[in-house]
Amino acid sequence: MQTATVLVEKSDYRPSEDEPFMNERQLEYFKQKLLAWKEEILRESRETVSHLQKETENHADLADRASSETDRALELRTRDRQRKLISKIDQALRRVEDGSYGYCEETGEPIGLARLDARPTATMSVEAQERHERRERVHRDD
């Protein structure tokens, strides 16, 4: 019975600027958010594999076959992007465990809670990310 109360309490919780940054409760919040996101991606991936296995039929019509191949390629590309995202989620979970989660890897300053809530895998503050993107644009134009 007590477990259910804790789960409800956690689901209603939202990190706030009024509390110490990356306290135990915030770390647990982001850890659960990352784990839920990862599980959702893995579930979708299993569904895709199942769908692709069922979709191995040969289409007599060339247009149907081409459409099916295009859909298949798009699904595989999406899964590849999600595989990379799972890697980023795993890295974020490691940062939660080692205590570096929530701090900018470039400046060491706290990453804003709103940014982390919107993008839990963020490794840089908004300002550091903008500087990084400006440098990339400059070097790309060379």
Side-chain angles (χ1 to χ4, degrees):
M1 190 67 160
Q2 188 178 17
T3 307
T5 307
V6 171
L7 290 176
V8 170
E9 191 176 303
K10 283 183 183 177
S11 66
D12 291 343
Y13 172 74
R14 282 278 184 262
S16 160
E17 301 289 340
D18 299 339
E19 57 188 325
F21 187 72
M22 285 303 124
N23 63 55
E24 243 181 83
R25 202 166 182 200
Q26 286 182 357
L27 285 170
E28 184 62 25
Y29 171 84
F30 287 111
K31 179 179 179 179
Q32 293 308 317
K33 184 171 187 133
L34 289 160
L35 289 170
W37 193 13
K38 181 178 177 178
E39 183 52 42
E40 179 185 343
I41 292 169
L42 291 172
R43 181 185 48 74
E44 289 174 3
S45 182
R46 287 189 295 271
E47 289 172 6
T48 296
V49 169
S50 174
H51 174 72
L52 289 175
Q53 287 171 343
K54 290 176 187 170
E55 189 64 31
T56 57
E57 64 197 48
N58 284 328
H59 298 285
D61 183 48
L62 284 177
D64 287 345
R65 188 178 308 164
S67 177
S68 181
E69 287 301 316
T70 301
D71 291 347
R72 184 184 206 92
L74 182 61
E75 281 191 48
L76 291 172
R77 222 178 1 251
T78 299
R79 291 299 144 236
D80 187 52
R81 264 191 246 113
Q82 289 183 329
R83 181 185 54 77
K84 292 173 184 170
L85 180 55
I86 285 176
S87 175
K88 287 183 178 186
I89 291 171
D90 287 340
Q91 290 170 6
L93 287 167
R94 281 192 291 278
R95 288 193 306 277
V96 166
E97 294 305 317
D98 72 18
S100 63
Y101 183 81
Y103 294 91
C104 179
E105 66 183 12
E106 189 174 293
T107 66
E109 295 292 315
I111 298 171
L113 290 174
R115 175 165 169 76
L116 288 170
D117 210 21
R119 187 179 181 95
T121 57
T123 59
M124 288 189 246
S125 66
V126 172
E127 298 79 15
Q129 184 69 42
E130 287 172 349
R131 280 192 305 274
H132 176 74
E133 289 173 5
R134 276 195 300 274
R135 281 193 304 265
E136 275 186 348
R137 266 195 303 276
V138 167
H139 292 297
R140 187 179 39 198
D141 293 340
D142 286 349

